[in-house]
Amino acid sequence: MIGAIEAVVVRELTRFARQRGRAVASFARPLLWLVVIGAGFEKLVPTEGTVSYKQFLLPGLYGMVVLFSTMLTALATVHDREFGPIRMLLVAPLPRFVTVFAKTISSALIGVIQAIVLFPLIWILGLHPSVGALAELLGAILLGSFALGSFGMVIASRLRSIENFAGIMNFLMFPMFFLSSALYPASLLPGFLQPLVRADPLTYTIDLMRHPLLRGLYPGNLGTDYTVSFDVLVLVLFSVVLLALASLLFGEEEHLGRILLVEPPRPRGSRRLPRLPRRAPALPVGDAAPSD
Amino acid sequence: MAQAPAIAVAGLGRDYGRVRAVDAVDLDVQPGEFFGFLGPNGAGKTTTIRMLCTLLQPSRGEARVAGGDVVENALDVRRKIGVVFQETTLDLDLTAEENLRFCTRLYGLSRRDSKARIDEALQLFGLEERRHARVRSFSGGMRRALDLARGILHRPSILFLDEPTLGLDPGQRRRIWAFLQKLTREHGTTLFLTTHYLEEADPCDRVAIVDHGRIVALGEPAELKRRLGHDRVDVRTDRAEEFVPRLRELTGLEPQRAQHGLSIFVDDASAILPSLLPLTADGAEVGVTRPTLEDVFVDLTGREVSL
Ligand SMILES: Nc1ncnc2c1ncn2[C@@H]1O[C@H](COP(=O)(O)OP(=O)(O)OP(=O)(O)O)[C@@H](O)[C@H]1O
Ligand SMILES: [Mg+2]
């Protein structure tokens, strides 16, 4: 079982290491946001005390990295079926839960790796966390990635084709990002949005990252929304519930038949012969009726 | 044979919404048997294999594979079977070795065993030199071979193959078939495979011909051919229409249209050959063939096999 989980993780990491474009895109995007949004908002947000807007934004960017990376990895499960490797997993003697767990932990690890690549920004932006705080940050990223990864697996289990990815990005990932307190403290959002803010795992992920990075630096207006233990509790709950749900959905054979095992689209009209009536007799020749 | 069958299927069926992919299939496959499952496109072969491999829930009926129920004991069944799907399952971004290692680890083989098996498999399929090459760079034949290697890596007692030779050149096809025959003979592996290349199914111990999700014929290839009548007399001509009444008159049998012209099935060709001589004078070629499985297939399903 451990061997199998390890095998899935190794495979995902190997693939990740070989897809350069993906890694580059994953940290180019947050850098762009940091420069453009960070510079713009810094003018608008009065930064009293010791936290600059960019410092406040940094955990939000890690949140963005983790969100995109875990969702992409999880949704690649859908992509897998077109090329088949998922079938190796499906016929292996593993309970669905293990398969889903292995996929989720892989996407979480990839999320962590991508966030670590952007760690130098911590010092560039003038923050000086202790080793303990860094460890705490890593833990926060791992837990958040795992929760988001299991969320991604739930989505993946319901998705028919990766072509919906643009839709997922526009209607799920960006709203999750904007609602999550990545750009502004969650408490600033109007009341009718608060339930959504609370339902968004990214909110707690980012809040949990903000704790070690901004500890002791809170100004009046830019800080954290919840306590560490509350964030951890919520993220663990999210993970457990979503993972159970994802295994349930992936384990539903009816659904597997439709989603994961449909054959890759064949070129239209090729190969499939028209159906003839059952047991058509050998073609009678000429216009004469067959004579017995 | 007092042994419990390797595969026991009763009334197995599956619907996709309103599409009845598999109607009702009954069959027993004995341990060590080389079983062929033939049928035209859309007959329900892949759907049947998926149900037997525990990947798809049957809509009705039941199936026991390697002693376990495919629904109730899915994990036990999966432990004992190997599956080679119609489409490749390889990860194109990984190397040959990485793909195989992924697989051995999924089946819980230790690192050491896994290495030994991989070495053996790569050697067996002549892929040692491509060990560290990405599968993306492999030809179709090499991918198929690697897929097959993957399917037997954990030494399954039953191996399912869905069109294992699709798209391969004749040389590669022969190699794969030779390998499969060796696998049953030397390791006693039960083989359950589908194919479109009917002439290939001759080495099977038994074949089932499926059409519209039902088995329409089941037996040894030789026996099925016998059922058609012993010999096939071919009249090669491009004026088939013209020859039909004459053939009917000369032989008293109903000719059937074929690609090359016309065919007649008879118990013993030598009895009617002399009476066909006049046809050759009119430019037709007359020849005799033993019926092939393809003839059986066309007779039963009313379809030419084409790809
Ligand atoms: N996922 C699916 N959803 C809906 N219908 C399906 C699905 N898979 C197969 N079918 C239908 O079920 C029938 C049997 O399909 P199946 O793939 O089992 O045939 P097959 O014998 O393997 O054909 P082929 O020789 O083309 O591989 C076909 O009519 C097919 O269109
Ligand atoms: Mg098929």
Side-chain angles (χ1 to χ4, degrees):
Chain A
M1 212 78 101
I2 303 293
I5 293 173
E6 179 203 308
V8 174
V9 171
V10 168
R11 167 180 175 244
E12 298 286 348
L13 291 183
T14 311
R15 281 176 62 84
F16 172 69
R18 291 189 182 154
Q19 294 173 345
R20 294 277 154 66
R22 202 168 129 198
V24 171
S26 76
F27 62 78
R29 187 186 299 118
L31 281 181
L32 194 72
W33 279 68
L34 182 67
V35 172
V36 177
I37 307 275
F41 273 41
E42 205 151 39
K43 300 268 166 354
L44 293 176
V45 184
T47 42
E48 313 152 16
T50 43
V51 175
S52 74
Y53 181 72
K54 278 184 186 144
Q55 289 172 339
F56 173 83
L57 186 61
L58 188 60
L61 293 184
Y62 291 149
M64 173 183 240
V65 173
V66 162
L67 173 70
F68 275 81
S69 130
T70 52
M71 290 293 272
L72 207 67
T73 318
L75 295 183
T77 311
V78 183
H79 198 247
D80 261 7
R81 72 134 213 272
E82 271 161 66
F83 304 100
I86 190 93
R87 293 176 193 194
M88 278 198 240
L89 272 173
L90 294 178
V91 291
L94 297 172
R96 286 293 172 254
F97 172 76
V98 174
T99 312
V100 172
F101 178 79
K103 280 270 179 191
T104 311
I105 194 84
S106 316
S107 63
L109 287 178
I110 291 176
V112 172
I113 293 171
Q114 301 204 9
I116 289 179
V117 172
L118 292 174
F119 267 19
L121 287 175
I122 298 173
W123 291 276
I124 293 173
L125 293 180
L127 292 167
H128 301 282
S130 65
V131 176
L134 273 183
E136 218 180 298
L137 177 64
L138 265 182
I141 296 177
L142 185 63
L143 180 58
S145 298
F146 194 81
L148 290 166
S150 42
F151 179 69
M153 289 303 282
V154 171
I155 304 293
S157 77
R158 295 283 100 176
L159 215 58
R160 208 185 170 112
S161 126
I162 197 73
E163 281 159 34
N164 303 337
F165 187 71
I168 299 283
M169 198 155 89
N170 288 329
F171 292 103
L172 203 65
M173 286 157 68
F174 276 116
M176 278 173 79
F177 178 68
F178 289 122
L179 285 169
S180 71
S181 85
L183 300 175
Y184 24 72
S187 50
L188 292 188
L189 285 169
F192 74 97
L193 284 178
Q194 287 301 327
L196 290 176
V197 172
R198 301 238 169 107
D200 183 352
L202 194 57
T203 304
Y204 307 94
T205 308
I206 291 173
D207 196 65
L208 194 57
M209 291 193 274
R210 225 160 242 160
H211 276 285
L213 279 180
L214 307 185
R215 185 168 295 137
L217 307 175
Y218 300 161
N221 62 337
L222 291 174
T224 53
D225 294 297
Y226 310 100
T227 64
V228 170
S229 44
F230 186 73
D231 287 332
V232 171
L233 181 73
V234 173
L235 287 174
V236 168
L237 274 179
F238 259 119
S239 305
V240 170
V241 171
L242 291 173
L243 210 58
L245 185 62
S247 337
L248 203 74
L249 295 178
F250 268 101
E252 196 184 303
E253 304 284 340
E254 180 65 27
H255 186 68
L256 275 181
R258 230 175 338 121
I259 307 283
L260 292 170
L261 292 168
V262 284
E263 302 198 354
R266 296 174 193 246
R268 261 168 191 280
S270 72
R271 281 199 63 195
R272 197 131 288 184
L273 297 175
R275 305 206 94 177
L276 296 179
R278 183 187 300 273
R279 281 240 49 189
L283 294 178
V285 178
D287 51 7
S291 53
D292 276 23
Chain B
M1 282 191 222
Q3 263 172 307
I7 304 174
V9 177
L12 192 69
R14 166 76 200 201
D15 303 329
Y16 289 107
R18 292 206 321 281
V19 181
R20 182 153 285 208
V22 175
D23 189 2
V25 167
D26 297 275
L27 71 108
D28 278 345
V29 177
Q30 300 308 318
E33 193 173 1
F34 190 163
F35 193 88
F37 205 60
L38 318 179
N41 285 141
K45 304 181 294 294
T46 300
T47 307
T48 305
I49 283 203
R50 281 179 189 170
M51 287 191 283
L52 296 181
C53 298
T54 78
L55 292 182
L56 204 58
Q57 199 100 32
S59 305
R60 60 197 151 264
E62 56 183 282
R64 298 184 73 78
V65 172
D69 186 281
V70 294
V71 180
E72 246 99 85
N73 317 88
L75 282 187
D76 291 329
V77 172
R78 279 191 226 144
R79 213 163 277 133
K80 290 176 193 153
I81 62 171
V83 192
V84 178
F85 293 95
Q86 194 166 342
E87 305 82 23
T88 182
T89 50
L90 301 168
D91 190 325
L92 303 183
D93 292 319
L94 298 188
T95 66
E97 186 183 16
E98 286 165 345
N99 265 291
L100 296 183
R101 189 171 325 114
F102 178 58
C103 221
T104 53
R105 302 292 286 159
L106 285 187
Y107 284 85
L109 266 69
S110 73
R111 243 172 250 280
R112 171 144 9 109
D113 287 352
S114 145
K115 180 162 183 336
R117 296 268 178 97
I118 292 170
D119 290 345
E120 188 190 29
L122 288 174
Q123 193 172 5
L124 189 64
F125 288 93
L127 290 169
E128 279 161 306
E129 283 172 21
R130 308 294 299 239
R131 187 182 191 113
H132 299 296
R134 307 247 176 113
V135 173
R136 196 177 291 286
S137 71
F138 281 28
S139 72
M142 289 157 68
R143 286 182 195 186
R144 213 71 194 119
L146 191 61
D147 240 337
L148 196 56
R150 176 197 61 71
I152 57 162
L153 218 46
H154 57 289
R155 309 252 162 90
S157 65
I158 304 176
L159 181 62
F160 291 92
L161 303 114
D162 201 0
E163 313 207 19
T165 53
L166 193 66
L168 298 189
D169 72 37
Q172 289 168 324
R173 274 159 59 186
R174 256 196 312 279
R175 265 198 299 282
I176 287 195
W177 276 82
F179 170 76
L180 292 178
Q181 279 172 275
K182 204 170 132 211
L183 198 64
T184 40
R185 233 181 299 118
E186 293 177 8
H187 297 276
T189 309
T190 310
L191 296 181
F192 184 101
L193 72 94
T194 71
T195 178
H196 267 103
Y197 301 109
L198 294 177
E199 72 279 8
E200 284 187 345
D202 273 311
C204 289
D205 295 322
R206 283 189 306 153
V207 299
I209 295 181
V210 275
D211 194 20
H212 297 279
R214 271 179 176 280
I215 292 182
V216 292
L218 178 71
E220 292 169 22
E223 178 196 329
L224 291 182
K225 289 184 224 168
R226 254 195 317 275
R227 279 193 216 160
L228 261 193
H230 278 291
D231 296 334
R232 191 181 81 203
V233 179
D234 291 335
V235 179
R236 226 169 255 287
T237 172
D238 41 18
R239 293 175 294 154
E241 301 301 324
E242 191 180 312
F243 281 97
V244 171
R246 291 186 59 191
L247 263 174
R248 205 181 282 139
E249 196 178 303
L250 287 169
T251 63
L253 295 165
E254 187 58 32
Q256 294 180 4
R257 194 187 285 282
Q259 225 156 22
H260 54 261
L262 299 165
S263 295
I264 312 175
F265 295 94
V266 286
D267 281 344
D268 182 6
S270 54
I272 64 157
L273 272 183
S275 62
L276 298 181
L277 276 179
L279 299 182
T280 58
D282 292 334
E285 263 178 59
V286 177
V288 179
T289 13
R290 314 266 315 157
T292 61
L293 268 180
E294 180 146 357
D295 298 319
V296 177
F297 186 88
V298 172
D299 182 62
L300 286 167
T301 66
R303 257 166 286 194
E304 293 275 345
V305 188
S306 61
L307 283 173

